[in-house]
Amino acid sequence: MSKRIAGPEIERLVQLLAKVPGLGPRSARRAALHLIKKKEQLFVPLTAAMGEAVEKVRVCSTCGNVDTSDPCTICTDPRREDATLIVVEDVADLWALERAAAMNVRYHVLGGTLSPLDGVGPDDLNIKTLIARVASGVVSEVILAVNATVEGQTTAHYITDQLSSFEVKVTRLAHGVPVGGELDYLDEGTLTAALKSRTAF
């Protein structure tokens, strides 16, 4: 059993920080020490910002994004193309696509993937609202931007089946060689997907 080296408040702070993705126990301890050392410049404003976020952040009832308004900023942006809808597993995926700034379209966050082993079925995901959005007749293309995992592909197939009765084009992200990638460093699955998804040059 390890010895306690700080008061219970600091230990609790470290334990909570360690639950943040990307922070293990050692990184959490360093982060906690940094916050304590920079109490006035960083810790106090961070605490206030987190308290405000707890009160104001909500899930968008239209797309599943997180924002301080419902509908969210993306859903209320009139400059976005309504006909194209990108379906993602999580809000982090939406943010990643927005950083790329490749398309100015609408999104739909599923909130995960189908996983019978983990007890996650269609009713546990944001699929009914996706179907309702497509049924409105505004959407002409649904881009399935799910991860290239077994669960992601299972979810993509399920959604494709659910949308088969609508006049909507269903596409998915290309899989294969990344930009700047060298073939020698790629795994066999990526190379196989790249060959199957080849396009005219």
Side-chain angles (χ1 to χ4, degrees):
M1 184 173 164
S2 61
K3 284 194 269 181
R4 176 178 271 177
I5 58 172
E9 297 84 2
I10 295 174
E11 288 294 332
R12 178 159 165 72
L13 173 63
V14 171
Q15 288 169 2
L16 289 171
L17 285 171
K19 293 181 180 182
V20 176
L23 288 182
R26 290 177 64 193
S27 298
R29 196 165 296 283
R30 282 196 298 271
L33 283 172
H34 184 73
L35 288 170
I36 291 165
K37 286 178 187 175
K38 303 274 187 183
K39 186 175 178 181
E40 296 303 321
Q41 303 98 324
L42 189 60
F43 206 175
V44 172
L46 178 63
T47 304
M50 291 177 82
E52 196 173 355
V54 167
E55 284 183 23
K56 295 186 177 179
V57 170
R58 59 197 82 250
V59 176
C60 177
S61 57
T62 303
C63 73
N65 186 22
V66 291
D67 203 340
T68 53
S69 60
D70 182 15
C72 70
T73 305
I74 291 175
C75 287
T76 55
D77 186 350
R79 297 166 299 177
R80 290 184 179 265
E81 184 187 331
D82 292 324
T84 304
L85 194 61
I86 298 181
V87 177
V88 295
E89 292 178 18
D90 199 4
V91 174
D93 302 324
L94 186 158
W95 289 1
L97 288 167
E98 276 295 285
R99 281 196 309 272
M103 299 180 81
N104 196 30
V105 296
R106 307 282 179 194
Y107 293 91
H108 190 86
V109 181
L110 295 173
T113 54
L114 294 173
S115 179
L117 292 175
D118 297 321
V120 180
D123 292 336
D124 300 310
L125 302 178
N126 201 8
I127 294 176
K128 286 181 181 172
T129 51
L130 169 63
I131 294 167
R133 290 178 79 181
V134 173
S136 70
V138 176
V139 179
S140 61
E141 181 181 7
V142 172
I143 302 172
L144 298 174
V146 293
N147 292 323
T149 59
V150 172
E151 294 83 6
Q153 297 312 300
T154 302
T155 306
H157 285 296
Y158 178 82
I159 290 171
T160 302
D161 288 343
Q162 294 297 304
L163 299 179
S164 61
S165 60
F166 299 101
E167 290 289 322
V168 64
K169 179 182 177 184
V170 180
T171 59
R172 67 171 191 164
L173 294 183
H175 297 156
V177 180
V179 174
E182 296 181 30
L183 297 181
D184 189 37
Y185 294 103
L186 299 177
D187 63 277
E188 291 80 8
T190 301
L191 288 169
T192 302
L195 287 169
K196 287 182 178 176
S197 304
R198 65 189 183 278
T199 56
F201 189 63

